[in-house]
Amino acid sequence: MDTEWMAEGKCKDLAPTIFFPSDGVGVQAAQRICATCPVAEQCLEYALTERVDHGVWGGKSERERRRILRRRRVSLASASS
């Protein structure tokens, strides 16, 4: 998967620990940074495709990404029925 978009991320010059928080307040702080990031969509798709389990990617927490993947699986299953 292409990762050239990473060079444009708002996170590129920030401490990685910001995007791997240990609590909900930390998740919200990371999500605020992602909210104005020009490559948030690519970041989220990367995390979904690569099944990244930890951290905030594309403005979505681990739990949010699991929900997105679940919805996609359900949509694919019902589309092929």
Side-chain angles (χ1 to χ4, degrees):
M1 173 169 236
D2 175 34
T3 57
E4 289 181 23
W5 55 267
M6 289 181 175
E8 302 300 319
K10 291 190 88 171
C11 61
K12 69 179 168 126
D13 296 323
L14 299 173
T17 54
I18 294 170
F19 299 94
F20 295 91
S22 60
D23 61 16
V25 173
V27 168
Q28 291 172 353
Q31 288 175 325
R32 281 193 295 276
I33 294 167
C34 295
T36 59
C37 182
V39 295
E41 275 188 47
Q42 294 98 316
C43 182
L44 176 58
E45 283 305 316
Y46 174 84
L48 294 171
T49 301
E50 297 297 321
R51 300 292 200 264
V52 178
D53 291 335
H54 298 88
V56 174
W57 289 78
K60 303 295 182 192
S61 68
E62 299 101 331
R63 182 177 293 160
E64 291 169 315
R65 291 194 309 276
R66 282 193 299 272
R67 283 187 201 130
I68 292 168
L69 287 171
R70 202 170 315 130
R71 280 194 306 263
R72 287 183 179 183
R73 280 193 301 272
V74 168
S75 292
L76 285 174
S78 62
S80 64
S81 299

